[in-house]
Amino acid sequence: MPGLGTLLRYEVAWLGHDVVAGLVLATMLVPVGIAYAVASGLPGICGLYATIVPLLVYAVFGPSRILVLGPDSALAAVILGIVLPLSGGDPQRAVALGGMMALVSGAVLVLAGFAHLGFVTELLSKPIRYGYMNGIALTVLISQLPKLFGFSVESTGPLRDLSAIGGAILAGRTNWVALAIGLGTLATILLLRGRRVPGILVAVVGAAVVVGIFDLAERHHVSILGSLPEGLPGFTIPRIGMGDIVPVLIGGCAVAMVSFADTSVLSRAYAARTRTNVDPNQEMVGLGAANLATGFFQGFPISSSSSRTPVAEAAGARTQLTGIVGALAIAVLLLVAPNLLRNLPSAALAAVVIASAIGLFEIADLKRIYRIQRWEFWLSIACFAGVAVFGAIPGIGLAIVIAVIEFLWDGWRPYSAVLGRPAGVEGYHDVTRYPEAHRIPGLVLFRWDAPLFFANAELFRERVLGAVAESPTPVRCVVVAAAPVTSVDVTAADSLMELDETLTARDIELRFAELKDPVKDKLRRFGLFDRFGEARFYPTIDAAVSRYQGTT
């Protein structure tokens, strides 16, 4: 409980900063929380519940002092993809589904944190993360266009939704008053972004005032939020049907991965700026505990916020007390003035989400990746297309599959080289880079730049035999320069044995140089070390070469 440690070391001088920052933060948390709840297919009040509870819980269990948690645009498409088709338009079912997804993601994160799996999200490379987040941004943006234009369509997938939206516009279903309010709200948010003025608050309050003064809900059928329930959320256990279990489990796990990936990056960034250390496993526990808690109090999955955390920092936040003050301010709003936001138009809420989605797009760094590593750029585009065509849940599945394939490819078809000694250059180097390098007659120095495992074991054998066949002189000895070999599995060990038998039949001896001790230990367990004998293993390539030359 890192928050308790902060409390014990709390300095009175921080109090004023934390209180002011918490009040400033609350002005942004309210409209954003409501907007992301609606974008996730849940009642707007759930967004406030999913803001209050996580802030209080993370203040105790979270390692970061100023990280702000709550509903997030990056999760909206994932949650909507589960909630919308399963709820059938029933708000209570939607709340139960959202709550159960939060419980699943929370449980996954807490267990992963205790199991020290904080490194897992690092398996997704930057281009893959960019592709996935760009796809999520497009999906979120498309999902909000109907609200912006003042009509509704049945969601069947991002691209099909876009076709339906175009058809509705051509059919004349646009509510021009709602569209004007939405575009005005969006323009205000974008124009005030990066300034000290709270652009979202100014935009949504202005939209609500205009709707109320001119009675646009009645006169022009502008959809509004309506009255929020009075009071705070009660403890409930979400109940879902048997047929909902599998999609909710998949969605909850997807949310856990996305939320922790975002949170870990943001947490590390602020830890570096404040010169503090943040344990990624504790971050998982803190984020998981916040999700678990909100799942029991009519909330839905949450994550860190890259837009609200800077607000807290700029307002002078010093510790987790900022989040507590913000949560209490929202609670007071629900107890004292729940009707304050009743005239908030749906088009304005859609504009808030669209503005956030625009901020999710990553274009500039993808241009850099295109210039320096074109295949990784197309990998990113493939992930983007997967999310855009199939939706958020299949999209993250595709991203994970591509990440695994990318990881395996480097080891599956690694680089290998025959080595020689170039004149005037120290050491042994690839003869394709140094064609004039001296090669010792009868000796093949072969380097393998990867671990040896089931996927590349046969390729290793083929390349060694190929190097023997292409040698300019009859071969008597093969020395594997094994410094890059960090592991050997059973399949690879058996392949090494077969290779040794093949070479022995040709009167060629197989030797190893610079093999790491942990890998030797594995060979001992497999029985290979004893089979080869310690004399075949050399600490350096020079030692192996000297030994060969001394016996010829």
Side-chain angles (χ1 to χ4, degrees):
M1 298 183 181
L4 298 183
T6 303
L7 179 63
L8 294 174
R9 299 186 299 272
Y10 197 86
E11 299 179 16
V12 177
W14 297 342
L15 183 61
H17 295 283
D18 282 339
V19 171
V20 171
L23 294 174
V24 170
L25 181 64
T27 63
M28 186 178 184
L29 292 174
V30 172
V32 167
I34 293 172
Y36 292 161
V38 174
S40 301
L42 292 120
I45 186 65
C46 293
L48 300 186
Y49 295 161
T51 300
I52 296 172
V53 176
L55 285 175
L56 296 175
V57 174
Y58 186 81
V60 177
F61 293 98
S64 176
R65 287 192 170 194
I66 63 171
L67 204 64
V68 177
L69 263 61
D72 187 59
S73 57
L75 303 182
V78 182
I79 301 168
L80 184 68
I82 299 297
V83 169
L84 191 63
L86 297 181
S87 66
D90 182 352
Q92 294 305 314
R93 268 182 59 76
V95 172
L97 290 164
M100 187 56 75
M101 283 184 69
L103 293 181
V104 170
S105 63
V108 168
L109 287 165
V110 169
L111 291 173
F114 280 117
H116 296 279
L117 298 179
F119 65 91
V120 168
T121 55
E122 297 171 6
L123 296 177
L124 296 179
S125 67
K126 185 179 287 187
I128 288 176
R129 290 201 307 269
Y130 285 163
Y132 176 73
M133 292 310 298
N134 285 344
I136 286 290
L138 180 65
T139 301
V140 170
L141 195 152
I142 291 173
S143 73
Q144 297 306 298
L145 288 179
K147 297 185 184 71
L148 189 72
F149 282 85
F151 54 74
S152 61
V153 297
E154 185 177 345
S155 179
T156 55
L159 295 185
R160 289 187 291 272
D161 286 357
L162 198 58
S163 175
I165 292 166
I169 294 172
L170 293 175
R173 293 173 55 193
T174 301
N175 185 322
W176 294 103
V177 176
L179 179 61
I181 292 171
L183 292 178
T185 304
L186 180 61
T188 303
I189 294 171
L190 295 178
L191 286 172
L192 296 179
R193 178 174 283 177
R195 304 175 186 269
R196 291 189 174 273
V197 180
I200 292 178
L201 181 65
V202 170
V204 297
V205 168
V209 168
V210 168
V211 169
I213 290 176
F214 296 102
D215 196 21
L216 299 181
E218 289 291 332
R219 295 172 60 187
H220 293 281
H221 307 291
V222 174
S223 175
I224 59 174
L225 179 65
S227 299
L228 295 174
E230 188 173 346
L232 300 176
F235 179 87
T236 58
I237 298 176
R239 301 186 185 279
I240 61 174
M242 292 296 293
D244 302 333
I245 292 176
V246 173
V248 166
L249 284 174
I250 294 173
C253 291
V255 160
M257 174 163 277
V258 175
S259 61
F260 180 67
D262 287 350
T263 301
S264 62
V265 170
L266 193 62
S267 178
R268 286 200 302 267
Y270 279 95
R273 289 171 65 169
T274 57
R275 296 181 181 178
T276 57
N277 292 320
V278 173
D279 181 358
N281 298 304
Q282 182 64 43
E283 193 68 80
M284 266 191 167
V285 172
L287 182 61
N291 270 284
L292 279 173
T294 195
F296 285 119
F297 286 91
Q298 300 166 55
F300 55 94
I302 53 89
S303 180
S304 63
S305 171
S306 58
S307 59
R308 283 155 282 172
T309 302
V311 170
E313 183 192 35
R318 295 291 187 271
T319 69
Q320 296 95 322
L321 183 61
T322 295
I324 295 175
V325 172
L328 294 178
I330 299 172
V332 170
L333 172 69
L334 291 178
L335 291 171
V336 176
N339 292 323
L340 191 63
L341 300 173
R342 68 178 305 274
N343 288 321
L344 192 59
S346 297
L349 294 175
V352 171
V353 179
I354 289 172
S356 178
I358 291 172
L360 289 176
F361 282 106
E362 177 55 61
I363 304 298
D365 207 31
L366 272 180
K367 291 180 180 177
R368 179 182 68 90
I369 292 171
Y370 180 80
R371 290 196 306 270
I372 63 177
Q373 186 92 302
R374 198 155 294 184
W375 71 267
E376 287 201 86
F377 168 83
W378 291 114
L379 202 64
S380 183
I381 296 301
C383 286
F384 167 76
V387 176
V389 174
F390 301 112
I393 298 297
I396 193 171
L398 179 64
I400 292 170
V401 169
I402 290 176
V404 172
I405 292 173
E406 180 190 16
F407 174 74
L408 288 175
W409 182 260
D410 288 338
W412 187 22
R413 289 293 182 267
Y415 190 77
S416 61
V418 173
L419 307 181
R421 189 151 205 166
V425 181
E426 188 174 347
Y428 294 87
H429 300 276
D430 186 350
V431 295
T432 60
R433 301 297 181 100
Y434 297 89
E436 303 303 320
H438 173 64
R439 297 172 64 177
I440 299 165
L443 176 65
V444 170
L445 293 175
F446 180 83
R447 192 185 70 216
W448 180 255
D449 293 346
L452 264 173
F453 66 111
F454 64 91
N456 64 25
E458 183 59 30
L459 181 66
F460 171 82
R461 182 173 173 277
E462 290 174 3
R463 287 190 181 174
V464 170
L465 294 177
V468 169
E470 294 170 5
S471 174
T473 59
V475 178
R476 294 180 56 193
C477 180
V478 173
V479 173
V480 178
V485 179
T486 55
S487 182
V488 175
D489 68 3
V490 172
T491 305
D494 290 346
S495 184
L496 279 176
M497 190 178 299
E498 293 172 7
L499 175 63
D500 184 54
E501 290 172 352
T502 302
L503 293 176
T504 300
R506 301 181 187 180
D507 292 325
I508 301 172
E509 190 172 26
L510 179 62
R511 301 177 185 178
F512 299 87
E514 301 180 348
L515 190 67
K516 295 175 173 59
D517 287 337
V519 183
K520 288 181 184 178
D521 292 340
K522 282 192 172 185
L523 293 183
R524 284 190 177 92
R525 289 203 305 273
F526 298 152
L528 280 182
F529 196 86
D530 292 337
R531 171 191 169 88
F532 292 151
E534 192 167 351
R536 290 215 222 169
F537 294 87
Y538 300 92
T540 64
I541 297 176
D542 281 327
V545 171
S546 297
R547 176 64 175 169
Y548 171 77
Q549 290 177 326
T551 58
T552 56

